[in-house]
Amino acid sequence: MSRLPTSVPTAMPACAPLVGRASGLPAARRAGLPAVLLPLLLLLPGAALPPAAQASEPARRDTLVRMVRQDCGSCHGMRLTGGLGPAITREALADWPLDSLVATIYQGRPGTPMPGWRSMISEAEARWIAEQLRRGFPEEGSQ
């Protein structure tokens, strides 16, 4: 007979969104929280939104822009004009198929330093980022 834990973590890691990721399971479930808490977590504001809806929320877009500018910028340059990684400007990506960009963002590029970001974003959010990069990525606070 399995027993539920007597204590429950009081905070989730800041980098663990409640919904998203490739598995479709909420992060709380994958983190091992008791199954009885899962329905309660879905009652939190925004937690039950599908990944595509999250990318359309202004606050989430701000977070994604900040992530690209800071995290991606650490390798691709703070202006996205290149650094350790290649430039990811509108001009540099003009000939890349959109689906290839999405796959690179979401899954990474094996054998290179390019990580996949699927643990932090949904595939719909990776598509939103790719679309924004192809248009000329916005500055933080400009959306």
Side-chain angles (χ1 to χ4, degrees):
M1 178 171 159
S2 67
R3 295 177 46 141
L4 292 176
T6 56
S7 66
V8 177
T10 56
M12 294 293 293
C15 63
L18 291 176
V19 177
R21 297 196 185 174
S23 71
L25 289 175
R29 179 71 183 264
R30 288 189 313 277
L33 285 178
V36 295
L37 293 180
L38 186 57
L40 296 175
L41 289 174
L42 294 177
L43 295 175
L44 293 173
L49 292 175
Q54 286 181 346
S56 67
E57 296 294 323
R60 184 60 179 163
R61 286 192 309 259
D62 290 346
T63 300
L64 293 173
V65 168
R66 188 174 310 107
M67 183 187 86
V68 170
R69 287 288 176 189
Q70 299 299 314
D71 295 327
C72 301
S74 66
C75 287
H76 293 282
M78 297 307 287
R79 306 289 310 150
L80 308 179
T81 56
L84 172 64
I88 54 174
T89 60
R90 178 179 60 197
E91 298 78 19
L93 300 176
D95 294 331
W96 276 63
L98 184 63
D99 288 340
S100 293
L101 290 174
V102 173
T104 298
I105 294 165
Y106 192 65
Q107 298 173 10
R109 299 198 75 179
T112 74
M114 176 64 193
W117 290 91
R118 68 176 160 233
S119 65
M120 300 291 289
I121 63 174
S122 69
E123 192 166 357
E125 291 170 334
R127 181 165 298 279
W128 183 86
I129 291 169
E131 290 168 350
Q132 297 305 306
L133 287 169
R134 300 259 320 260
R135 289 184 187 125
F137 205 77
E139 296 293 329
E140 285 186 64
S142 67
Q143 323 40 271

